[in-house]
Amino acid sequence: MNGERYIRQTILKDFGPKAQERLYKSKVLVVGAGGLGIPVLTYLNAMGIGTLGIVDGDSVSGSNLHRQVLYDETDIGQSKVQVAIRKLRAQNSSTQLISFEQFLTVENALRVIADYDLVVDASDNFPTRYLVNDACVLLGKPFIYGALHGFEGQVSVFNHNNGPTYRCLFPNMPGPDEVPDCNANGVLGVIPGIVGNLQALEAVKVLTGVGEVLSGKLLLFDGLSQNFQNIKFSLVPDNQKINELKPAYDFECTTEIKSIQTSELEQLLEMNSVQLIDVRTPKEFQGYHLEKAHHIPLSELEERKSEIDFGRPAYFICQSGIRSRKAIEKLQELNTEAELINVKGGMNNLKAYVAKY
Amino acid sequence: MEVLLFGIAKDIVGSTQMDLSEWKHPPSSVGELKDFLCSSFPEFGKLSSLAVAVNSEYAQDAVILEAGDEIAIIPPVSGG
């Protein structure tokens, strides 16, 4: 470790070389390399954390750039984890950076989290948040919670030294239609920057023992009024009595997506006016496609969205129905009024009809 | 009795706070306040978890409300 590099924080009398050494020996897992994860990763990496694991299965999109400030325009379409690791490595070559190019799931959560001292929940959905909570409680790991709604943020440290957990505040996971996420509700670019930096600060405190950890307290931040408020809460001991993860956390997207069966699409194809968008790759499209399909590969969707007439229903198709669903999710972020319909099962169910149309 | 509204509670009510002190029969407990919110704004009834804090402390339904209390309605938020 280069002593000169961290001199401005090691000369702090309440921090010192000892806390710096503790940071260097620490392993932190950041779940989500988005609005919250970027400031957490950037600062922990700059400050000299020893090991940073990054979990995210997403790729960079144009609508991320206003808040996910590690990414630039040339990164669009690339894996967030890969881009983040490249940039963090340039920022601090002594950090050990470990990539998990996947979302956290019931299958991988315990294995991935087990190696780390601390988890930062920088995810953007309830299923992941409840999964992080339950996995951390099972493994006895503290985790730093941060979440956003509009101009507001929440921060707390859960499961720290036998302290309260996420379920002590919010026992039950909200259903898919209860609380909108950033994609549906919007977020001002700088707000996750503030909330994520508060999480980074708590991570440093937990790891070094410096200061008072935000455990048993929920910090509420309101960006519009610049108000910070702490709410005290206690452990509900039952929430520590978890023996295993739930068999499934609801990973369905929180936005409702209309869909039709391929048989219904066949009927629609008889009509001349149907607007069908094929989001497969150019190679797949050249292989075979429906004559009435307009081709916009998923990776070019945002740049070429003006080719879609949002004034009438638009049907989306891919090979199996997964990427077309993703395409609709992306477009719903940009235009929630449009009627966007997924073709379930995709081209796999339509091969027999390709010759005909 | 001032009620501060956070997250989706603010969006449901359409305001950052409500003043209940003017009311003839202000709710006497956290549970009653929740019932009042659900009956006045049915969307509150949809929430599986809703935290309430009284004077900056998390409060269960049985907690008694008194004049001058500062109440915060804190729904879960998921964004990141």
Side-chain angles (χ1 to χ4, degrees), chain A residues 110-122:
Chain A
L110 294 174
R111 179 172 42 84
V112 169
I113 292 173
D115 287 341
Y116 291 82
D117 304 311
L118 173 74
V119 176
V120 179
D121 174 12

Side-chain angles (χ1 to χ4, degrees), chain A residues 294-315:
Chain A
H294 179 67
H295 184 222
I296 306 179
L298 184 59
S299 59
E300 295 171 21
L301 189 66
E302 279 188 66
E303 300 89 88
R304 292 176 56 188
K305 65 174 193 299
S306 60
E307 294 172 28
I308 303 165
D309 176 4
F310 291 110
R312 62 194 182 106
Y315 295 84

Side-chain angles (χ1 to χ4, degrees), chain A residues 78-350:
Chain A
Q78 294 186 57
S79 146
K80 284 188 179 179
V81 168
Q82 280 183 23
V83 175
I85 287 197
R86 174 163 47 83
K87 298 194 177 185
L88 293 170
R89 186 160 288 138
Q91 184 194 25
N92 191 343
S93 57
S94 17
T95 309
Q96 200 189 339
L97 296 162
I98 298 171
S99 71
F100 299 94
E101 272 182 72
Q102 53 193 301
F103 292 110
L104 201 71
T105 64
V106 178
E107 290 73 33
N108 66 23
L110 294 174
R111 179 172 42 84
V112 169
I113 292 173
D115 287 341
Y116 291 82
D117 304 311
L118 173 74
V119 176
V120 179
D121 174 12
S123 66
D124 62 358
N125 61 83
F126 287 119
T128 307
R129 295 186 180 286
Y130 280 84
L131 174 60
V132 167
N133 177 78
D134 293 357
C136 285
V137 169
L138 271 171
L139 294 165
K141 310 278 183 189
F143 73 102
I144 318 284
Y145 159 80
L148 309 170
H149 181 90
F151 301 92
E152 296 171 21
Q154 299 183 351
V155 181
S156 191
V157 179
F158 294 127
N159 205 40
H160 176 251
N161 289 344
N162 215 26
T165 74
Y166 185 40
R167 287 186 188 271
C168 299
L169 266 182
F170 304 114
N172 306 312
M173 185 165 93
D177 55 343
E178 287 179 30
V179 182
D181 59 19
C182 288
N183 291 348
N185 195 52
V187 58
L188 192 73
V190 67
I191 299 288
I194 295 164
V195 174
N197 274 310
L198 291 170
Q199 287 180 278
L201 175 58
E202 287 309 308
V204 169
K205 283 155 67 179
V206 169
L207 296 169
T208 61
V210 169
E212 192 189 320
V213 173
L214 194 67
S215 169
K217 289 179 202 161
L218 174 71
L219 174 68
L220 297 173
F221 166 65
D222 178 10
L224 291 180
S225 60
Q226 289 282 28
N227 270 337
F228 286 88
Q229 192 176 351
N230 275 336
I231 305 293
K232 282 189 213 150
F233 63 101
S234 321
L235 174 71
V236 179
D238 275 356
N239 292 330
Q240 289 178 318
K241 294 173 192 151
I242 301 176
N243 296 318
E244 55 186 4
L245 295 178
K246 293 190 184 302
Y249 291 71
D250 177 19
F251 274 88
E252 276 299 292
C253 179
T254 52
T255 43
E256 284 276 312
I257 288 181
K258 273 195 201 170
S259 60
I260 59 164
Q261 304 295 335
T262 42
S263 55
E264 296 170 74
L265 181 72
E266 287 159 23
Q267 292 168 20
L268 282 166
L269 288 170
E270 304 285 350
M271 295 163 34
N272 273 329
S273 59
V274 64
Q275 179 177 217
L276 179 68
I277 314 290
D278 188 328
V279 298
R280 294 176 303 156
T281 62
K283 205 173 163 190
E284 289 175 293
F285 189 80
Q286 279 155 24
Y288 63 98
H289 61 263
L290 295 159
E291 200 186 301
K292 285 181 181 167
H294 179 67
H295 184 222
I296 306 179
L298 184 59
S299 59
E300 295 171 21
L301 189 66
E302 279 188 66
E303 300 89 88
R304 292 176 56 188
K305 65 174 193 299
S306 60
E307 294 172 28
I308 303 165
D309 176 4
F310 291 110
R312 62 194 182 106
Y315 295 84
F316 288 78
I317 195 163
C318 65
Q319 198 62 35
S320 68
I322 306 281
R323 280 172 291 168
S324 50
R325 189 187 163 90
K326 199 159 174 103
I328 293 176
E329 285 170 14
K330 274 194 178 188
L331 290 170
Q332 280 182 341
E333 290 174 29
L334 308 165
N335 185 347
T336 50
E337 297 300 311
E339 192 177 0
L340 309 172
I341 302 130
N342 189 30
V343 180
K344 270 192 175 175
M347 295 300 287
N348 287 342
N349 289 356
L350 276 166

